[in-house]
């Protein structure tokens, strides 16, 4: 696990972003390791926190805002005022898992959908922070669940992939509606074809850093 390079005095601007919804291609693409942290990257992180709070979430992965890089923001309290609870995990990995517990999960990219997902109860994690420092620790309960959920995102895995066949079938109608809406937007020229989106995403993932403005 190589640390990303720190680049000082870079531009502090970030593009306006939105949370992408299923079936946006970014949600199914495995993200690339972050190789560079600069002021623009930090600005993106701050904007992701703002989006997460506005959507009443507790975690948000980069590919949920169309950035195929391996990092996510996390505040288990979900409270904007509790900045001390904010964490950024860059190039995160799980080194060990213990126990097993089932809990209900939802997703900001799959609004209004929920289901019971089995996760490890305790995990040992490694990652880097915004200062390029290595983080190591043990998470359990809600923090462990959120970490696993967001890490899945970085691998192109959604919580619906971990549901039982019966639970997944109960969501099929709503998922079909979301897919139909996406295709209708593409047909109207509101969003590019999947192939064009994937071409751009793969280039960013391979570079390991944010694309140029």
């Amino acid at each position: 696990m190589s640390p990303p390079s720190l680049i000082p005095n870079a531009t502090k601007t970030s593009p306006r972003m939105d949370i992408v919804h299923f079936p946006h291609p970014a949600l199914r693409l495995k993200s690339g390791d972050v190789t560079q942290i600069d002021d623009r990257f930090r600005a993106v992180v701050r904007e992701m926190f703002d989006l997460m709070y506005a959507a009443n979430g507790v975690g948000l992965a980069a590919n949920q805002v169309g950035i195929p890089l391996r990092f996510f923001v996390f505040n288990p309290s979900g409270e904007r005022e509790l900045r001390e609870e904010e964490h950024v995990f860059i190039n995160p990995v799980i080194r060990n898992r213990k126990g097993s517990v089932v809990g209900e999960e939802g997703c900001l990219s799959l609004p209004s959908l929920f289901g019971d997902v089995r996760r490890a109860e305790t995990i040992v994690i490694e990652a880097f922070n915004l200062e390029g420092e290595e983080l190591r620790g043990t998470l359990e309960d809600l923090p462990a669940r959120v970490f696993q959920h967001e890490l899945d995102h970085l691998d192109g895995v959604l919580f619906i992939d971990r549901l039982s066949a019966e639970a997944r079938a109960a969501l099929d109608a709503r998922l079909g509606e979301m897919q139909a809406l996406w295709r209708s937007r593409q047909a109207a020229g509101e969003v590019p074809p999947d192939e064009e989106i994937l071409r751009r995403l793969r280039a960013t993932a391979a570079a390991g850093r944010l694309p140029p403005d």
Side-chain angles (χ1 to χ4, degrees):
M1 188 171 67
S2 300
S5 300
L6 297 176
I7 309 297
N9 303 320
T11 176
K12 295 184 180 181
T13 62
S14 67
R16 183 184 180 279
M17 63 178 68
D18 293 297
I19 296 173
V20 302
H21 291 168
F22 177 87
H24 192 288
L27 299 173
R28 290 304 194 183
L29 184 68
K30 186 170 182 177
S31 299
D33 283 346
V34 175
T35 61
Q36 177 177 299
I37 299 173
D38 57 17
D39 287 343
R40 182 162 171 255
F41 184 94
R42 295 182 183 92
V44 165
V45 165
R46 186 69 258 158
E47 192 168 352
M48 285 175 61
F49 271 118
D50 291 340
L51 279 174
M52 183 189 78
Y53 294 132
N56 297 314
V58 294
L60 186 65
N63 57 340
Q64 288 183 271
V65 295
I67 301 173
L69 298 176
R70 299 188 74 79
F71 70 98
F72 60 84
V73 301
F74 170 75
N75 183 339
S77 75
E79 298 294 334
R80 187 187 300 269
E81 294 77 16
L82 298 180
R83 291 290 184 92
E84 68 275 10
E85 296 293 323
E86 291 184 351
H87 300 279
V88 182
F89 294 106
I90 300 171
N91 298 343
V93 296
I94 296 175
R95 294 303 187 192
N96 193 24
R97 294 174 170 86
K98 291 183 180 179
S100 177
V101 62
V102 174
E104 185 180 68
E105 295 186 18
C107 179
L108 299 182
S109 293
L110 291 155
S112 303
L113 298 186
F114 301 92
D116 289 336
V117 179
R118 183 175 295 279
R119 301 279 188 188
E121 189 170 15
T122 303
I123 56 175
V124 177
I125 65 104
E126 291 181 8
F128 295 96
N129 62 18
L130 283 175
E131 288 69 49
E133 300 166 335
E134 188 171 4
L135 306 173
R136 297 182 180 181
T138 300
L139 301 178
E140 57 186 9
D141 301 325
L142 178 62
R145 177 169 296 277
V146 175
F147 191 101
Q148 291 171 86
H149 178 109
E150 303 305 334
L151 186 60
D152 267 358
H153 270 302
L154 303 184
D155 291 326
V157 177
L158 300 174
F159 86 90
I160 55 174
D161 301 330
R162 298 193 179 278
L163 299 178
S164 68
E166 182 179 3
R168 172 60 187 263
L171 303 181
D172 279 348
R174 177 56 183 147
L175 293 172
E177 292 173 359
M178 297 178 75
Q179 289 174 325
L181 176 60
W182 176 254
R183 299 307 173 202
S184 68
R185 292 183 64 200
Q186 288 181 321
E190 296 176 15
V191 293
D194 286 358
E195 295 76 13
E196 182 178 339
I197 296 173
L198 284 167
R199 177 178 56 79
R200 297 173 183 173
L201 293 172
R202 288 172 178 143
T204 298
R209 58 182 180 271
L210 297 174
D213 289 328

